[in-house]
Amino acid sequence: EPQNICSLKKISDTFARSMKSSYSKFLFSYFLTPLFLCLFLLSGCKKDFKITANYKEVPVVYGLLNWNENPHYIRIQKGYLVDGNANVAAGVYDSIYYPDVLTVKLIPYYNGTVSSSAFTLNRVNGNDIGLPKETGMFASDSNILYSFTGTLDPAKRYKLEVTNNSDGSVFQTANEGNLEGITLVNYFAITNPKKVHSNSDKINLQNISPAKVVFNPAVNAGIYDLVVRFYYKEYRQSDNVLLKDTFAEITLFKSYLPDGTGNNIVADLSADIVLGYLSNNLSHDNSVYREFNMQKGIQVIVSAGGIGLTTYLNSQIAQSGGLTTNGALAPFTNIIGGEGLLSSRYISEVDSVLLSDRGLDTLACSDMSRALRFKNH
């Protein structure tokens, strides 16, 4: 609430601002209208006045459907407007969660028509099923999610429809590509490297002609993350006691947007990338030695995000590109009657990629990684 507003200059700009963020952080809205201007001119100085609007619940939805997973979870919460301390309100359960008043359905479509019975989602507390909410500013004594178990078909589209039984209001996903429902990211293959079946499938660590990660672009995907997990063991030098059986996760790229040609997507798995990451992130400690885990090897993980997620992330990039508040775009949402995002993803993996004898020796002897004390072949 502004204080000591006593001149036309201070009140001449009508303004409307809102701030919204992931997982229903806050919804603030405040404004002055031309009518307020007239009242100020007539009545002179006013030390206190109320600028918050009447309370209104704003549904907030987030979910990424993966037809290759079960069960499925969607987060449905609410944004809120508060006349007091928003930080205090965030810690109150009722501020961010609906009571048990929502009927939540996921409706399948094929060729523009409803193709089968809808999935009905159940209200569950993630804290009770091994999906606890992290502690922090927002209430974490519960983690309310909406869940169902069922087989999704990547050839179909799916529309989320939520009815608030307390007031009859409905919010739902917007059309994607002028058709009902969202698309699901389909299966795609990692063609290289391969899970080791022979010595020829093992990879070297080198910069000249490095090993490649190659995968097909996925149908209904628009953005990709690629990480490799490098599994290793760590032992105490003095008595050979195993201290760690773990991995280092190396990001090759994040939020990658392909060129749209449909060509395979390729990334280098070079010595500089792998050994450079290990050297920068593992301790240089003469009291331990390490060895590459020949059972687990290297795991390649490609995550493909759906069309809605691609648009959402692109809008986030645009917002962080130096735009001023006055020029900022409205946050992307594909929820009619609310805010948030329902999209899809698919994760493709290749396990047990092994290093060749030469690769093991490079890991042990390279100038970049020698201090890590890996065993040679």
Short mmCIF file of all heavy atoms in Angstrom, two decimals, residues 46-106:
data_model
loop_
_atom_site.label_atom_id
_atom_site.label_comp_id
_atom_site.label_asym_id
_atom_site.label_seq_id
_atom_site.Cartn_x
_atom_site.Cartn_y
_atom_site.Cartn_z
N LYS A 46 -3.71 11.21 0.40
CA LYS A 46 -4.30 10.04 1.03
C LYS A 46 -3.14 9.17 1.48
O LYS A 46 -2.30 8.79 0.68
CB LYS A 46 -5.17 9.29 0.03
CG LYS A 46 -5.72 7.96 0.54
CD LYS A 46 -6.88 8.16 1.46
CE LYS A 46 -7.53 6.83 1.84
NZ LYS A 46 -8.61 7.00 2.79
N LYS A 47 -3.07 8.88 2.76
CA LYS A 47 -1.92 8.16 3.26
C LYS A 47 -2.05 6.65 3.09
O LYS A 47 -1.04 5.97 2.95
CB LYS A 47 -1.70 8.50 4.74
CG LYS A 47 -1.23 9.93 4.95
CD LYS A 47 -0.87 10.17 6.40
CE LYS A 47 -0.34 11.57 6.60
NZ LYS A 47 0.92 11.78 5.91
N ASP A 48 -3.21 6.08 3.11
CA ASP A 48 -3.39 4.63 2.99
C ASP A 48 -4.58 4.34 2.10
O ASP A 48 -5.64 4.94 2.27
CB ASP A 48 -3.64 4.00 4.37
CG ASP A 48 -2.45 4.12 5.28
OD1 ASP A 48 -1.42 3.49 4.99
OD2 ASP A 48 -2.56 4.86 6.28
N PHE A 49 -4.37 3.44 1.19
CA PHE A 49 -5.50 2.95 0.41
C PHE A 49 -5.21 1.53 -0.04
O PHE A 49 -4.07 1.11 -0.17
CB PHE A 49 -5.82 3.87 -0.78
CG PHE A 49 -4.70 3.98 -1.78
CD1 PHE A 49 -4.66 3.14 -2.90
CD2 PHE A 49 -3.69 4.93 -1.62
CE1 PHE A 49 -3.65 3.25 -3.82
CE2 PHE A 49 -2.69 5.03 -2.55
CZ PHE A 49 -2.66 4.19 -3.66
N LYS A 50 -6.26 0.79 -0.29
CA LYS A 50 -6.15 -0.63 -0.61
C LYS A 50 -6.10 -0.80 -2.11
O LYS A 50 -6.94 -0.27 -2.83
CB LYS A 50 -7.35 -1.38 -0.02
CG LYS A 50 -7.30 -2.89 -0.20
CD LYS A 50 -8.50 -3.53 0.47
CE LYS A 50 -8.47 -5.04 0.33
NZ LYS A 50 -7.31 -5.63 1.03
N ILE A 51 -5.07 -1.51 -2.59
CA ILE A 51 -4.95 -1.70 -4.03
C ILE A 51 -5.03 -3.16 -4.44
O ILE A 51 -4.89 -3.47 -5.62
CB ILE A 51 -3.63 -1.11 -4.55
CG1 ILE A 51 -2.44 -1.77 -3.88
CG2 ILE A 51 -3.60 0.38 -4.38
CD1 ILE A 51 -1.11 -1.35 -4.48
N THR A 52 -5.22 -4.08 -3.50
CA THR A 52 -5.38 -5.48 -3.89
C THR A 52 -6.80 -5.75 -4.33
O THR A 52 -7.75 -5.21 -3.77
CB THR A 52 -5.03 -6.42 -2.72
OG1 THR A 52 -5.77 -6.02 -1.57
CG2 THR A 52 -3.55 -6.37 -2.41
N ALA A 53 -6.95 -6.60 -5.34
CA ALA A 53 -8.27 -6.96 -5.84
C ALA A 53 -8.92 -7.97 -4.91
O ALA A 53 -8.32 -8.45 -3.95
CB ALA A 53 -8.14 -7.54 -7.25
N ASN A 54 -10.18 -8.29 -5.18
CA ASN A 54 -10.87 -9.33 -4.42
C ASN A 54 -10.18 -10.67 -4.62
O ASN A 54 -9.61 -10.95 -5.68
CB ASN A 54 -12.33 -9.42 -4.84
CG ASN A 54 -13.10 -8.17 -4.46
OD1 ASN A 54 -12.78 -7.51 -3.48
ND2 ASN A 54 -14.12 -7.85 -5.25
N TYR A 55 -10.27 -11.53 -3.61
CA TYR A 55 -9.62 -12.83 -3.67
C TYR A 55 -10.16 -13.64 -4.85
O TYR A 55 -11.35 -13.69 -5.11
CB TYR A 55 -9.87 -13.59 -2.36
CG TYR A 55 -9.31 -14.99 -2.40
CD1 TYR A 55 -7.95 -15.21 -2.20
CD2 TYR A 55 -10.14 -16.08 -2.64
CE1 TYR A 55 -7.43 -16.49 -2.23
CE2 TYR A 55 -9.62 -17.37 -2.68
CZ TYR A 55 -8.27 -17.56 -2.48
OH TYR A 55 -7.75 -18.82 -2.52
N LYS A 56 -9.24 -14.28 -5.56
CA LYS A 56 -9.62 -15.15 -6.65
C LYS A 56 -8.63 -16.29 -6.76
O LYS A 56 -7.42 -16.07 -6.82
CB LYS A 56 -9.65 -14.38 -7.98
CG LYS A 56 -10.03 -15.25 -9.19
CD LYS A 56 -9.97 -14.45 -10.47
CE LYS A 56 -10.32 -15.32 -11.68
NZ LYS A 56 -10.23 -14.56 -12.95
N GLU A 57 -9.13 -17.53 -6.75
CA GLU A 57 -8.25 -18.68 -6.92
C GLU A 57 -7.85 -18.80 -8.38
O GLU A 57 -8.67 -18.65 -9.28
CB GLU A 57 -8.95 -19.96 -6.48
CG GLU A 57 -9.15 -20.09 -4.99
CD GLU A 57 -9.82 -21.38 -4.60
OE1 GLU A 57 -10.34 -22.08 -5.50
OE2 GLU A 57 -9.85 -21.68 -3.40
N VAL A 58 -6.59 -19.08 -8.61
CA VAL A 58 -6.09 -19.30 -9.96
C VAL A 58 -5.49 -20.70 -10.02
O VAL A 58 -4.48 -20.97 -9.37
CB VAL A 58 -5.04 -18.25 -10.36
CG1 VAL A 58 -4.48 -18.55 -11.74
CG2 VAL A 58 -5.64 -16.86 -10.32
N PRO A 59 -6.09 -21.63 -10.77
CA PRO A 59 -5.53 -22.98 -10.87
C PRO A 59 -4.15 -22.95 -11.52
O PRO A 59 -3.91 -22.20 -12.45
CB PRO A 59 -6.54 -23.71 -11.77
CG PRO A 59 -7.78 -22.89 -11.74
CD PRO A 59 -7.32 -21.47 -11.55
N VAL A 60 -3.26 -23.78 -11.02
CA VAL A 60 -1.90 -23.91 -11.56
C VAL A 60 -1.63 -25.39 -11.78
O VAL A 60 -1.74 -26.19 -10.85
CB VAL A 60 -0.85 -23.31 -10.62
CG1 VAL A 60 0.54 -23.40 -11.25
CG2 VAL A 60 -1.18 -21.86 -10.29
N VAL A 61 -1.30 -25.75 -13.02
CA VAL A 61 -1.13 -27.15 -13.40
C VAL A 61 0.28 -27.36 -13.95
O VAL A 61 0.76 -26.56 -14.75
CB VAL A 61 -2.16 -27.55 -14.49
CG1 VAL A 61 -1.90 -28.99 -14.98
CG2 VAL A 61 -3.57 -27.41 -13.96
N TYR A 62 0.94 -28.45 -13.51
CA TYR A 62 2.19 -28.86 -14.12
C TYR A 62 2.24 -30.38 -14.21
O TYR A 62 1.95 -31.08 -13.24
CB TYR A 62 3.41 -28.35 -13.34
CG TYR A 62 3.68 -26.90 -13.59
CD1 TYR A 62 3.21 -25.93 -12.72
CD2 TYR A 62 4.37 -26.50 -14.73
CE1 TYR A 62 3.43 -24.58 -12.96
CE2 TYR A 62 4.59 -25.16 -14.98
CZ TYR A 62 4.12 -24.21 -14.11
OH TYR A 62 4.33 -22.88 -14.38
N GLY A 63 2.58 -30.88 -15.39
CA GLY A 63 2.72 -32.31 -15.57
C GLY A 63 3.43 -32.63 -16.87
O GLY A 63 3.28 -31.91 -17.86
N LEU A 64 4.23 -33.68 -16.86
CA LEU A 64 4.88 -34.19 -18.06
C LEU A 64 4.54 -35.67 -18.17
O LEU A 64 5.00 -36.49 -17.36
CB LEU A 64 6.41 -34.00 -17.98
CG LEU A 64 6.92 -32.57 -17.98
CD1 LEU A 64 8.44 -32.54 -17.78
CD2 LEU A 64 6.57 -31.87 -19.29
N LEU A 65 3.72 -36.02 -19.15
CA LEU A 65 3.27 -37.40 -19.33
C LEU A 65 4.31 -38.18 -20.13
O LEU A 65 4.84 -37.70 -21.13
CB LEU A 65 1.93 -37.43 -20.05
CG LEU A 65 0.77 -36.70 -19.36
CD1 LEU A 65 -0.48 -36.75 -20.25
CD2 LEU A 65 0.48 -37.31 -17.99
N ASN A 66 4.57 -39.39 -19.69
CA ASN A 66 5.48 -40.30 -20.38
C ASN A 66 4.75 -41.63 -20.52
O ASN A 66 4.47 -42.30 -19.52
CB ASN A 66 6.78 -40.47 -19.59
CG ASN A 66 7.82 -41.30 -20.32
OD1 ASN A 66 7.49 -42.10 -21.21
ND2 ASN A 66 9.07 -41.16 -19.94
N TRP A 67 4.41 -42.01 -21.77
CA TRP A 67 3.63 -43.23 -21.97
C TRP A 67 4.39 -44.47 -21.55
O TRP A 67 3.78 -45.53 -21.33
CB TRP A 67 3.22 -43.35 -23.44
CG TRP A 67 4.37 -43.44 -24.41
CD1 TRP A 67 4.99 -42.41 -25.05
CD2 TRP A 67 5.05 -44.63 -24.84
NE1 TRP A 67 6.00 -42.88 -25.85
CE2 TRP A 67 6.06 -44.23 -25.74
CE3 TRP A 67 4.90 -45.98 -24.55
CZ2 TRP A 67 6.93 -45.14 -26.35
CZ3 TRP A 67 5.76 -46.90 -25.16
CH2 TRP A 67 6.75 -46.47 -26.05
N ASN A 68 5.70 -44.36 -21.35
CA ASN A 68 6.51 -45.51 -20.97
C ASN A 68 6.68 -45.65 -19.46
O ASN A 68 7.46 -46.47 -19.00
CB ASN A 68 7.90 -45.39 -21.63
CG ASN A 68 8.66 -46.70 -21.66
OD1 ASN A 68 8.08 -47.76 -21.86
ND2 ASN A 68 9.96 -46.63 -21.44
N GLU A 69 5.96 -44.82 -18.71
CA GLU A 69 6.05 -44.86 -17.25
C GLU A 69 4.68 -45.16 -16.64
O GLU A 69 3.65 -44.93 -17.24
CB GLU A 69 6.56 -43.51 -16.70
CG GLU A 69 7.98 -43.17 -17.09
CD GLU A 69 8.42 -41.81 -16.58
OE1 GLU A 69 7.54 -41.01 -16.16
OE2 GLU A 69 9.62 -41.55 -16.60
N ASN A 70 4.69 -45.64 -15.43
CA ASN A 70 3.49 -45.87 -14.62
C ASN A 70 3.91 -45.91 -13.16
O ASN A 70 4.96 -46.49 -12.85
CB ASN A 70 2.81 -47.20 -14.99
CG ASN A 70 1.48 -47.01 -15.66
OD1 ASN A 70 0.75 -46.06 -15.35
ND2 ASN A 70 1.14 -47.90 -16.57
N PRO A 71 3.12 -45.32 -12.26
CA PRO A 71 1.94 -44.50 -12.50
C PRO A 71 2.31 -43.11 -13.03
O PRO A 71 3.48 -42.76 -13.11
CB PRO A 71 1.29 -44.43 -11.12
CG PRO A 71 2.44 -44.56 -10.17
CD PRO A 71 3.41 -45.49 -10.82
N HIS A 72 1.27 -42.32 -13.35
CA HIS A 72 1.44 -40.97 -13.87
C HIS A 72 0.99 -39.97 -12.81
O HIS A 72 0.03 -40.22 -12.08
CB HIS A 72 0.61 -40.78 -15.14
CG HIS A 72 0.84 -41.85 -16.16
ND1 HIS A 72 1.88 -41.82 -17.07
CD2 HIS A 72 0.16 -43.01 -16.42
CE1 HIS A 72 1.84 -42.90 -17.84
NE2 HIS A 72 0.80 -43.63 -17.46
N TYR A 73 1.69 -38.83 -12.75
CA TYR A 73 1.38 -37.81 -11.76
C TYR A 73 1.25 -36.45 -12.42
O TYR A 73 2.03 -36.11 -13.32
CB TYR A 73 2.48 -37.74 -10.69
CG TYR A 73 2.63 -38.99 -9.87
CD1 TYR A 73 3.58 -39.95 -10.22
CD2 TYR A 73 1.82 -39.23 -8.77
CE1 TYR A 73 3.73 -41.11 -9.48
CE2 TYR A 73 1.97 -40.38 -8.02
CZ TYR A 73 2.92 -41.32 -8.38
OH TYR A 73 3.06 -42.48 -7.65
N ILE A 74 0.28 -35.66 -11.95
CA ILE A 74 0.11 -34.27 -12.38
C ILE A 74 -0.06 -33.43 -11.12
O ILE A 74 -0.81 -33.81 -10.21
CB ILE A 74 -1.11 -34.11 -13.31
CG1 ILE A 74 -0.90 -34.92 -14.60
CG2 ILE A 74 -1.35 -32.64 -13.63
CD1 ILE A 74 -2.10 -34.90 -15.53
N ARG A 75 0.63 -32.32 -11.08
CA ARG A 75 0.49 -31.40 -9.94
C ARG A 75 -0.57 -30.35 -10.27
O ARG A 75 -0.49 -29.68 -11.30
CB ARG A 75 1.83 -30.71 -9.65
CG ARG A 75 1.77 -29.73 -8.48
CD ARG A 75 3.12 -29.08 -8.23
NE ARG A 75 4.11 -30.06 -7.82
CZ ARG A 75 4.23 -30.54 -6.58
NH1 ARG A 75 3.39 -30.14 -5.63
NH2 ARG A 75 5.17 -31.41 -6.29
N ILE A 76 -1.55 -30.25 -9.39
CA ILE A 76 -2.60 -29.23 -9.53
C ILE A 76 -2.68 -28.47 -8.21
O ILE A 76 -3.01 -29.06 -7.17
CB ILE A 76 -3.96 -29.85 -9.89
CG1 ILE A 76 -3.86 -30.67 -11.18
CG2 ILE A 76 -5.02 -28.75 -10.04
CD1 ILE A 76 -5.13 -31.43 -11.52
N GLN A 77 -2.36 -27.20 -8.25
CA GLN A 77 -2.40 -26.36 -7.06
C GLN A 77 -3.16 -25.08 -7.39
O GLN A 77 -3.90 -25.05 -8.37
CB GLN A 77 -0.97 -26.04 -6.58
CG GLN A 77 -0.20 -27.27 -6.14
CD GLN A 77 1.16 -26.93 -5.57
OE1 GLN A 77 1.97 -27.82 -5.39
NE2 GLN A 77 1.44 -25.66 -5.30
N LYS A 78 -2.97 -24.08 -6.58
CA LYS A 78 -3.64 -22.81 -6.86
C LYS A 78 -2.69 -21.67 -6.50
O LYS A 78 -1.91 -21.74 -5.56
CB LYS A 78 -4.95 -22.68 -6.09
CG LYS A 78 -4.82 -22.77 -4.57
CD LYS A 78 -6.18 -22.66 -3.90
CE LYS A 78 -6.06 -22.80 -2.38
NZ LYS A 78 -7.36 -22.69 -1.71
N GLY A 79 -2.75 -20.63 -7.32
CA GLY A 79 -2.10 -19.39 -6.97
C GLY A 79 -3.01 -18.62 -6.04
O GLY A 79 -4.20 -18.92 -5.91
N TYR A 80 -2.47 -17.61 -5.39
CA TYR A 80 -3.31 -16.88 -4.45
C TYR A 80 -2.91 -15.42 -4.41
O TYR A 80 -1.77 -15.04 -4.69
CB TYR A 80 -3.20 -17.48 -3.05
CG TYR A 80 -1.81 -17.44 -2.47
CD1 TYR A 80 -1.38 -16.36 -1.71
CD2 TYR A 80 -0.93 -18.50 -2.68
CE1 TYR A 80 -0.11 -16.32 -1.18
CE2 TYR A 80 0.35 -18.47 -2.16
CZ TYR A 80 0.75 -17.38 -1.40
OH TYR A 80 2.02 -17.34 -0.88
N LEU A 81 -3.87 -14.60 -4.08
CA LEU A 81 -3.67 -13.18 -3.82
C LEU A 81 -3.83 -12.98 -2.33
O LEU A 81 -4.76 -13.50 -1.73
CB LEU A 81 -4.70 -12.37 -4.59
CG LEU A 81 -4.65 -10.86 -4.42
CD1 LEU A 81 -3.47 -10.31 -5.20
CD2 LEU A 81 -5.94 -10.23 -4.93
N VAL A 82 -2.93 -12.27 -1.72
CA VAL A 82 -2.99 -12.12 -0.28
C VAL A 82 -2.80 -10.65 0.09
O VAL A 82 -2.03 -9.93 -0.55
CB VAL A 82 -1.92 -13.01 0.40
CG1 VAL A 82 -0.52 -12.59 0.00
CG2 VAL A 82 -2.07 -13.01 1.91
N ASP A 83 -3.51 -10.22 1.11
CA ASP A 83 -3.44 -8.82 1.54
C ASP A 83 -2.40 -8.64 2.64
O ASP A 83 -2.11 -7.53 3.04
CB ASP A 83 -4.82 -8.38 2.04
CG ASP A 83 -4.94 -6.86 2.09
OD1 ASP A 83 -4.15 -6.20 1.40
OD2 ASP A 83 -5.81 -6.36 2.81
N GLY A 84 -1.83 -9.76 3.11
CA GLY A 84 -0.82 -9.67 4.16
C GLY A 84 0.54 -10.10 3.65
O GLY A 84 0.94 -9.79 2.54
N ASN A 85 1.24 -10.83 4.49
CA ASN A 85 2.59 -11.29 4.16
C ASN A 85 2.52 -12.55 3.31
O ASN A 85 2.13 -13.61 3.79
CB ASN A 85 3.37 -11.54 5.46
CG ASN A 85 4.83 -11.81 5.20
OD1 ASN A 85 5.20 -12.46 4.23
ND2 ASN A 85 5.68 -11.30 6.09
N ALA A 86 2.91 -12.44 2.03
CA ALA A 86 2.82 -13.57 1.12
C ALA A 86 3.75 -14.70 1.53
O ALA A 86 3.46 -15.88 1.32
CB ALA A 86 3.15 -13.13 -0.30
N ASN A 87 4.90 -14.37 2.13
CA ASN A 87 5.83 -15.41 2.57
C ASN A 87 5.23 -16.26 3.67
O ASN A 87 5.43 -17.48 3.72
CB ASN A 87 7.14 -14.78 3.06
CG ASN A 87 7.93 -14.15 1.93
OD1 ASN A 87 7.87 -14.62 0.80
ND2 ASN A 87 8.65 -13.09 2.22
N VAL A 88 4.50 -15.64 4.57
CA VAL A 88 3.83 -16.38 5.64
C VAL A 88 2.72 -17.25 5.06
O VAL A 88 2.58 -18.43 5.40
CB VAL A 88 3.27 -15.42 6.70
CG1 VAL A 88 2.42 -16.19 7.72
CG2 VAL A 88 4.40 -14.69 7.40
N ALA A 89 1.95 -16.68 4.14
CA ALA A 89 0.84 -17.44 3.53
C ALA A 89 1.35 -18.65 2.76
O ALA A 89 0.67 -19.68 2.70
CB ALA A 89 0.05 -16.52 2.60
N ALA A 90 2.53 -18.56 2.17
CA ALA A 90 3.07 -19.68 1.39
C ALA A 90 3.26 -20.92 2.24
O ALA A 90 3.20 -22.05 1.74
CB ALA A 90 4.40 -19.28 0.77
N GLY A 91 3.49 -20.75 3.53
CA GLY A 91 3.69 -21.89 4.41
C GLY A 91 2.42 -22.50 4.92
O GLY A 91 2.46 -23.47 5.70
N VAL A 92 1.27 -21.97 4.51
CA VAL A 92 -0.02 -22.49 4.96
C VAL A 92 -0.57 -23.43 3.91
O VAL A 92 -0.70 -23.06 2.74
CB VAL A 92 -1.01 -21.33 5.23
CG1 VAL A 92 -2.36 -21.89 5.67
CG2 VAL A 92 -0.44 -20.38 6.26
N TYR A 93 -0.90 -24.64 4.32
CA TYR A 93 -1.38 -25.68 3.42
C TYR A 93 -2.51 -25.19 2.53
O TYR A 93 -2.52 -25.42 1.31
CB TYR A 93 -1.83 -26.86 4.28
CG TYR A 93 -2.54 -27.97 3.56
CD1 TYR A 93 -1.85 -29.06 3.05
CD2 TYR A 93 -3.94 -27.95 3.40
CE1 TYR A 93 -2.50 -30.10 2.41
CE2 TYR A 93 -4.59 -28.97 2.75
CZ TYR A 93 -3.88 -30.04 2.26
OH TYR A 93 -4.52 -31.05 1.61
N ASP A 94 -3.50 -24.52 3.10
CA ASP A 94 -4.69 -24.11 2.35
C ASP A 94 -4.39 -23.04 1.31
O ASP A 94 -5.21 -22.82 0.41
CB ASP A 94 -5.77 -23.60 3.30
CG ASP A 94 -6.38 -24.71 4.14
OD1 ASP A 94 -6.21 -25.88 3.76
OD2 ASP A 94 -6.98 -24.40 5.19
N SER A 95 -3.25 -22.37 1.42
CA SER A 95 -2.93 -21.32 0.46
C SER A 95 -2.58 -21.88 -0.91
O SER A 95 -2.81 -21.23 -1.93
CB SER A 95 -1.75 -20.47 0.97
OG SER A 95 -2.09 -19.78 2.14
N ILE A 96 -1.98 -23.07 -0.95
CA ILE A 96 -1.47 -23.59 -2.21
C ILE A 96 -2.18 -24.83 -2.71
O ILE A 96 -2.04 -25.19 -3.88
CB ILE A 96 0.04 -23.85 -2.12
CG1 ILE A 96 0.37 -24.90 -1.06
CG2 ILE A 96 0.80 -22.56 -1.84
CD1 ILE A 96 1.85 -25.30 -1.02
N TYR A 97 -2.95 -25.50 -1.86
CA TYR A 97 -3.62 -26.73 -2.28
C TYR A 97 -5.14 -26.57 -2.24
O TYR A 97 -5.69 -25.93 -1.34
CB TYR A 97 -3.24 -27.89 -1.36
CG TYR A 97 -1.81 -28.32 -1.44
CD1 TYR A 97 -1.00 -28.34 -0.30
CD2 TYR A 97 -1.23 -28.69 -2.66
CE1 TYR A 97 0.32 -28.73 -0.38
CE2 TYR A 97 0.09 -29.07 -2.74
CZ TYR A 97 0.87 -29.10 -1.59
OH TYR A 97 2.18 -29.48 -1.67
N TYR A 98 -5.81 -27.20 -3.21
CA TYR A 98 -7.25 -27.31 -3.16
C TYR A 98 -7.64 -28.39 -2.14
O TYR A 98 -6.94 -29.40 -2.01
CB TYR A 98 -7.81 -27.72 -4.52
CG TYR A 98 -7.80 -26.64 -5.56
CD1 TYR A 98 -6.77 -26.53 -6.48
CD2 TYR A 98 -8.84 -25.72 -5.64
CE1 TYR A 98 -6.75 -25.54 -7.45
CE2 TYR A 98 -8.85 -24.72 -6.61
CZ TYR A 98 -7.80 -24.63 -7.50
OH TYR A 98 -7.80 -23.64 -8.45
N PRO A 99 -8.77 -28.20 -1.46
CA PRO A 99 -9.32 -29.34 -0.72
C PRO A 99 -9.79 -30.41 -1.71
O PRO A 99 -9.66 -30.23 -2.92
CB PRO A 99 -10.48 -28.71 0.07
CG PRO A 99 -10.86 -27.49 -0.71
CD PRO A 99 -9.60 -26.99 -1.36
N ASP A 100 -10.34 -31.47 -1.21
CA ASP A 100 -10.74 -32.58 -2.09
C ASP A 100 -12.04 -32.24 -2.81
O ASP A 100 -13.10 -32.82 -2.55
CB ASP A 100 -10.90 -33.85 -1.25
CG ASP A 100 -11.03 -35.10 -2.12
OD1 ASP A 100 -10.87 -34.98 -3.35
OD2 ASP A 100 -11.31 -36.17 -1.56
N VAL A 101 -11.94 -31.26 -3.75
CA VAL A 101 -13.13 -30.78 -4.45
C VAL A 101 -12.98 -30.88 -5.97
O VAL A 101 -13.86 -30.43 -6.70
CB VAL A 101 -13.46 -29.32 -4.06
CG1 VAL A 101 -13.79 -29.22 -2.58
CG2 VAL A 101 -12.30 -28.39 -4.42
N LEU A 102 -11.87 -31.45 -6.44
CA LEU A 102 -11.62 -31.47 -7.89
C LEU A 102 -11.93 -32.85 -8.48
O LEU A 102 -11.56 -33.88 -7.92
CB LEU A 102 -10.15 -31.13 -8.17
CG LEU A 102 -9.62 -29.79 -7.68
CD1 LEU A 102 -8.17 -29.62 -8.11
CD2 LEU A 102 -10.48 -28.63 -8.19
N THR A 103 -12.61 -32.84 -9.63
CA THR A 103 -12.74 -34.03 -10.45
C THR A 103 -11.79 -33.87 -11.63
O THR A 103 -11.93 -32.95 -12.43
CB THR A 103 -14.18 -34.21 -10.96
OG1 THR A 103 -15.06 -34.37 -9.83
CG2 THR A 103 -14.29 -35.44 -11.86
N VAL A 104 -10.81 -34.76 -11.70
CA VAL A 104 -9.72 -34.61 -12.67
C VAL A 104 -9.76 -35.77 -13.65
O VAL A 104 -9.72 -36.94 -13.24
CB VAL A 104 -8.35 -34.57 -11.97
CG1 VAL A 104 -7.23 -34.33 -12.98
CG2 VAL A 104 -8.33 -33.50 -10.88
N LYS A 105 -9.86 -35.46 -14.93
CA LYS A 105 -9.94 -36.49 -15.97
C LYS A 105 -8.92 -36.21 -17.07
O LYS A 105 -8.66 -35.06 -17.41
CB LYS A 105 -11.35 -36.57 -16.56
CG LYS A 105 -12.42 -37.05 -15.58
CD LYS A 105 -13.77 -37.18 -16.26
CE LYS A 105 -14.83 -37.67 -15.28
NZ LYS A 105 -14.53 -39.04 -14.79
N LEU A 106 -8.39 -37.29 -17.63
CA LEU A 106 -7.51 -37.21 -18.80
C LEU A 106 -8.22 -37.96 -19.92
O LEU A 106 -8.45 -39.17 -19.84
CB LEU A 106 -6.15 -37.83 -18.51
CG LEU A 106 -5.07 -37.57 -19.56
CD1 LEU A 106 -4.65 -36.10 -19.55
CD2 LEU A 106 -3.85 -38.46 -19.32
#
